[in-house]
Amino acid sequence: MLLKDIRAIVNESVVLSPENPAAEETNTNWFGAPPHERMGLSADEVVTVFEETAAVLRDQVAAGGHRGTATFYVWHDAVAGQLRCSVGTRKPSDLPFPVEYQVTEDLRAIVVEFLEDRAPGSIAWGELEPVPYPDDSDAPPGLTVWAFDLTPFGR
């Protein structure tokens, strides 16, 4: 079901509105899967479906005549226990997250983190970690996000 849901993104209208970023929030999708489904999936097949989806989205952006930046991005929301993705007119360095984030080329690591989450949307008491102070140099990096440039080639 997860793979089918990811593939279905390309059947939805994509809103690209640099002058109205709030309108682009409609491009956000979130996917959950029960533990038994997660165990039956490989990270490679989920990554492949996301990459195929991104390529189709790039073609749709080109066909729609959009000029300017467009980015498809994927992250694991561990608090919600979901894989999430969105499309927007921001560059990867300026995505609309309220927390610090790092852009990575390793989509597989994000998918593995999601698939290995056996208690989606919950954190075991013993796994709670202290929240670092803003000046804590040992603080872990924020959210990890995979970004794919949808800007049509040749522009």
Side-chain angles (χ1 to χ4, degrees):
M1 192 70 175
L2 176 67
L3 301 178
K4 180 181 172 186
D5 291 343
I6 295 168
R7 285 186 181 106
I9 294 170
V10 300
N11 298 321
E12 300 171 10
S13 296
V14 174
V15 176
L16 296 175
S17 180
E19 59 283 338
N20 184 6
E24 296 179 344
E25 291 176 13
T26 63
N27 299 331
T28 302
N29 294 277
W30 47 94
F31 311 102
H36 70 275
E37 183 179 351
R38 293 171 192 233
M39 291 168 53
L41 291 169
S42 76
D44 291 336
E45 63 188 332
V46 177
V47 166
T48 297
V49 171
F50 269 124
E51 289 173 339
E52 290 169 353
T53 299
V56 172
L57 288 171
R58 182 184 324 158
D59 292 343
Q60 290 176 347
V61 167
H66 176 74
R67 299 204 183 279
T69 301
T71 303
F72 173 66
Y73 51 103
V74 178
W75 71 100
H76 174 222
D77 183 332
V79 174
Q82 300 168 335
L83 267 179
R84 294 189 179 190
C85 65
S86 193
V87 174
T89 54
R90 295 182 181 203
K91 295 179 180 180
S93 61
D94 188 34
L95 297 174
F97 288 106
V99 297
E100 279 190 49
Y101 68 94
Q102 280 186 309
V103 177
T104 182
E105 293 183 15
D106 189 3
L107 175 55
R108 189 175 192 289
I110 293 170
V111 170
V112 165
E113 182 180 293
F114 169 76
L115 292 176
E116 290 180 352
D117 185 357
R118 298 294 177 236
S122 63
I123 300 172
W125 184 261
E127 294 176 13
L128 289 174
E129 297 178 11
V131 177
Y133 289 104
D135 63 346
D136 186 350
S137 61
D138 293 331
L143 186 64
T144 302
V145 180
W146 177 75
F148 184 91
D149 185 5
L150 297 179
T151 306
F153 292 114
R155 295 201 187 192

